[in-house]
Amino acid sequence: MEDNKKIELHITLTQANYINSLFDRPMFAIDLNKKTFRPVNDVRFYDWVQNLAQGEKE
């Protein structure tokens, strides 16, 4: 059975920029005019968050 628990992730624009620097392709599209960001690819972002959550369990 798939785990459908909600995961909250709070990060700043500075942190989003740093996270982007860790990957070959950006994880977040950042709009500096609106001071917002969103995942570039929802599936890739979901996989990344799941890996973070799995790492916390171990």
Side-chain angles (χ1 to χ4, degrees):
M1 188 159 101
E2 190 172 321
D3 188 4
N4 289 325
K5 294 180 182 178
K6 289 186 178 183
I7 298 172
E8 289 188 25
L9 180 65
H10 300 273
I11 60 175
T12 65
L13 285 173
T14 302
Q15 291 168 325
N17 218 0
Y18 173 72
I19 291 166
N20 276 349
S21 75
L22 299 175
F23 298 98
D24 293 337
R25 295 176 292 146
M27 182 67 68
F28 299 106
I30 299 173
D31 184 340
L32 294 177
N33 293 326
K34 294 180 182 178
K35 296 182 180 165
T36 60
F37 59 91
R38 62 176 180 72
V40 171
N41 180 309
D42 289 337
V43 173
R44 188 170 158 242
F45 175 72
Y46 178 79
D47 289 344
W48 178 69
V49 171
Q50 290 301 319
N51 287 336
L52 286 176
Q54 185 66 28
E56 287 181 0
K57 290 179 185 176
E58 294 178 358

